[in-house]
Structures are given as C-alpha cells and as structure tokens.
Amino acid sequence: MRAIWKGAVSFGLVNVPVRLYSATENHDVQFRQVHEKDGGRIKYQRVCSIDGEQVAYSDIAKGYETPEGQMVVLTDADLADLPLVTSKEIAVDRFVSAEQISPLVLDKVYYLEPDKAALKPYALLRSALEESGRVAVVTVSLRTRVTVAVLRVKGKAIVLQTLLWPDEVREPDFAVLEAKAEVTDSEQAMAAMLVESLSGDFDPEAYEDTYEQAVREVVEAKLAGGEVKEPEDKPEESAEVVDLLAALQASVDRAKKARGEAAS
C-alpha cells in the first residue's frame, strides 16, 4: 500500500505522527466501449454543447450549475480566496459512544500507520479507545477540504472513517410509512421465530462476488480460444479513455450535486 497523506493525530498534548492508507479497494469489473468489429477503443472528444466546436484543455473552466439550470463560470481568481485548509493534523475533538454515530453517515475508511518512534503514543490511543468503548470524533483536512471523521480500532490498527455532512443524508420521506400497519400478535410471534431461526454470526467469507468471477471465467475462456483483438492505435486511445473517465466523473459529480448528494 502507498500512503496518501502524512500528518499527526493530536489528542490533548499528545501528538502521534501517522501515515494514511486507503483501507478498501474497488474490484468491480471494468468494461471499455469498443468497436465490435475490430476491438478498437471508442474515442470521445471535448465538444462545446453550444457551438459544437472541440475545446482544448487550456480553454476549459470550472462551472457551477444552479438548480434552475443556470451556469456560473468560475475562474482561478474566484477560487483563490476559498477557505482551503492544508493542516496536517487530525485533531481529536471529543470521545463519544459509538452508538451515537449513525451508520448512514459513515463514508470512506482509512488505516493509520504510526511512525516507529510514535508506536507508544499510538498504542496508548488505541488502548484508550478499546477500554472506553468509544470512538474519537476528529477534524482532518483531506485534499484541502476539512471533514469530520471518527477514529476506531480494528485489530492492532487505528482506523479513520470520514463522515458525511448532515445535509448529505436524505430523510426517508415516504408518505406510505405514515399509514398504520396492523400487525397481529401471531404474526409478530412468527416473525420473531423466523429471526431466531436465521440468527448467527456474520462471516464475510461466506459471501462471494459471483458476477465478477463469472465475467473473469468468460474472459479467460476467450483468451484461451484466441479470441483477442489487437488494436493498432492503443497508445493514442488510452489517453482518450482517461479523458472519458474524467468527463464521466465530472458528469456524475455534477448530477449528484444537482440532486443534493455528495460528489465522489
């Protein structure tokens, strides 16, 4: 693993130098759009939706679209005075009961690795969290944005998990839930029996991503049978694929922002 951030956890007068690592990775099967006849990757160009002209990267600016569909173009000067924070500190604000943190607000998760010289204070914080049964609410600046997170223990490691802001969590506003459901005692008893019959410990190894495995088997079978395309323009098109991914990501983020959701 490669560290994505380096700083220190501070609680009271104690500082613990740490490095931050992504604790998860995405293994979703990735498909590319290709020409069925020869396997050539599909190119996408940066084209203005108004004049139809292709736009160079140097002429692309950031735009904020309002809920009404208006577009506000922002320059580097407009963004220069934004409250960006580059502090390398994970500041513990308070220790709270883990039950107070709703699972709905939990977001990305990272491992904290201590410097060798900081192993003792790291172990001290880890044991304090374990013995108290609490999590530490912290603030941290990641990618120049301040976010709230919690520190918890997983095995011998301390884990940092960022939290969504309150307005990023939707309310279950369903009118049907306002209606009263009449449940009889016998139905309730039967439901309780079903829960009891299916009770047990959670074993993540008991579950398997069968879709990914099936796709890989299909791919391996085609490779074994020689069904492989060798596009000649691979280097040039790989750059276009990166452009496509960036464009798709920007589109997804914009759509989420319009719906009031958190961008990726």
Side-chain angles (χ1 to χ4, degrees), residues 137-149:
V137 177
V138 304
T139 53
V140 58
S141 174
L142 297 176
R143 301 180 181 87
T144 71
R145 292 284 302 276
V146 173
T147 185
V148 180

Side-chain angles (χ1 to χ4, degrees), residues 11 91-103 105-106 125 128-139 148-153 161 163:
F11 62 108
V92 175
D93 180 46
R94 64 192 60 198
F95 295 91
V96 305
S97 171
E99 287 73 21
Q100 294 183 18
I101 308 297
S102 168
V105 304
L106 296 175
L125 175 59
L129 291 171
E130 287 182 313
E131 292 178 8
S132 67
R134 297 175 181 268
V135 297
V137 177
V138 304
T139 53
V148 180
V150 294
L151 301 182
R152 64 177 79 246
V153 178
Q161 190 158 17
L163 305 181

Side-chain angles (χ1 to χ4, degrees), residues 46-49 51 53-63 71 73-76:
R46 299 173 295 278
V47 177
C48 176
S49 61
D51 59 26
E53 295 183 2
Q54 188 171 352
V55 182
Y57 265 125
S58 59
D59 294 329
I60 295 179
K62 292 182 174 66
M71 187 66 67
V73 178
L74 300 172
T75 66
D76 291 341

Side-chain angles (χ1 to χ4, degrees), residues 82-180:
L82 292 182
L84 303 180
V85 181
T86 57
S87 170
K88 294 297 184 180
E89 179 184 36
I90 301 174
V92 175
D93 180 46
R94 64 192 60 198
F95 295 91
V96 305
S97 171
E99 287 73 21
Q100 294 183 18
I101 308 297
S102 168
L104 286 177
V105 304
L106 296 175
D107 197 17
K108 297 180 180 178
V109 60
Y110 304 91
Y111 289 129
L112 295 181
E113 178 194 35
D115 287 352
K116 289 183 178 180
L119 181 57
K120 184 174 181 179
Y122 183 93
L124 175 64
L125 175 59
R126 182 181 61 203
S127 62
L129 291 171
E130 287 182 313
E131 292 178 8
S132 67
R134 297 175 181 268
V135 297
V137 177
V138 304
T139 53
V140 58
S141 174
L142 297 176
R143 301 180 181 87
T144 71
R145 292 284 302 276
V146 173
T147 185
V148 180
V150 294
L151 301 182
R152 64 177 79 246
V153 178
K154 176 177 172 53
K156 294 183 178 181
I158 295 176
V159 168
L160 180 143
Q161 190 158 17
T162 59
L163 305 181
L164 299 172
W165 296 106
D167 61 358
E168 293 178 323
V169 179
R170 292 175 169 177
E171 290 295 327
D173 187 15
F174 305 124
V176 67
L177 297 180
E178 300 301 322
K180 186 176 180 180

